[in-house]
């Protein structure tokens, strides 16, 4: 009997983004503009640029579904396009922190994404054919208190 191969994760970048308060289109859609931020990766740096946003929709009473599309430009002038879905599970401990704009740490809640990356940078072309997983490290919700901030670590599946 052969032993199955088990995927592992290798951290390849950290994304830090600024998030504007939502355009609350209805109970089932909040659009969060992402006006800027940085992506620091293994051998590259990129700035998040417009257009970038998250079309967040409730999946249930305590789960938010993410639908994110981000543009970024590397220090060499190339582009990255990240698109991803994900899940944010709101528990009783973090709900008041979210409402008040307090910082939430990744260990306090399930906040996980699955980025797909497209780039025209020859040095980063490996990203076009790679599966990624993102995990929130720190989050301050955008809302009545102003802009929010979000930090993800992004891992490639090996």
């Amino acid at each position: 009997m052969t032993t199955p191969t088990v995927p592992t994760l290798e951290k390849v970048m950290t994304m830090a983004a600024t998030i504007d308060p939502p355009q609350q289109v209805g109970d089932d859609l909040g659009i969060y503009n992402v006006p800027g931020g940085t992506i620091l990766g293994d051998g590259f740096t990129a700035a998040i640029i417009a257009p970038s946003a998250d079309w967040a929709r409730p999946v249930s009473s305590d789960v938010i579904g993410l639908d994110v599309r981000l543009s970024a430009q590397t220090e060499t002038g190339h582009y990255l396009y990240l698109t991803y879905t994900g899940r944010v599970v709101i528990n009783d401990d973090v709900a008041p922190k979210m409402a008040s704009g307090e910082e939430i740490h990744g260990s306090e809640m399930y906040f996980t994404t699955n980025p797909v990356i497209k780039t025209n940078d020859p040095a980063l072309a490996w990203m076009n054919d790679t599966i990624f997983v993102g995990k929130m490290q720190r989050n301050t919700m955008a809302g009545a208190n102003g802009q929010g901030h979000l930090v993800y670590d992004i891992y490639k599946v090996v």
Side-chain angles (χ1 to χ4, degrees):
M1 180 177 210
T2 60
T3 303
T5 57
V6 177
T8 59
L9 300 177
E10 179 182 316
K11 183 180 170 189
V12 292
M13 65 188 92
T14 297
M15 181 179 72
T18 302
I19 316 272
D20 285 340
Q23 302 165 20
Q24 200 60 50
V25 179
D27 291 341
D28 64 341
L29 176 61
I31 303 170
Y32 293 82
N33 182 49
V34 181
T38 57
I39 301 172
L40 302 174
D42 190 12
F44 76 96
T45 302
I48 296 172
I49 58 173
S52 294
D54 178 6
W55 288 258
R57 296 178 183 273
V59 175
S60 67
S61 62
D62 59 352
V63 178
I64 299 170
L66 305 177
D67 178 6
V68 178
R69 295 160 213 161
L70 291 173
S71 298
Q73 187 170 24
T74 68
E75 72 278 6
T76 60
H78 292 92
Y79 293 97
L80 298 172
Y81 171 63
L82 291 83
T83 180
Y84 55 89
T85 58
R87 291 292 186 262
V88 177
V89 179
I90 303 166
N91 60 52
D92 292 340
D93 294 332
V94 300
K97 289 183 174 185
M98 291 175 78
S100 69
E102 280 183 67
E103 185 174 85
I104 300 165
H105 294 272
S107 62
E108 296 180 83
M109 67 187 302
Y110 187 88
F111 193 135
T112 305
T113 66
N114 61 330
V116 173
I117 302 174
K118 180 169 179 57
T119 183
N120 66 344
D121 188 337
L124 302 176
W126 60 270
M127 291 182 182
N128 294 324
D129 303 318
T130 302
I131 300 294
F132 297 94
V133 174
K135 175 64 177 146
M136 181 270 286
Q137 297 302 315
R138 293 185 309 281
N139 179 35
T140 305
M141 286 297 295
N145 300 319
Q147 283 186 320
H149 302 278
L150 179 63
V151 177
Y152 280 103
D153 283 336
I154 298 176
Y155 303 83
K156 73 176 182 178
V157 178
V158 252

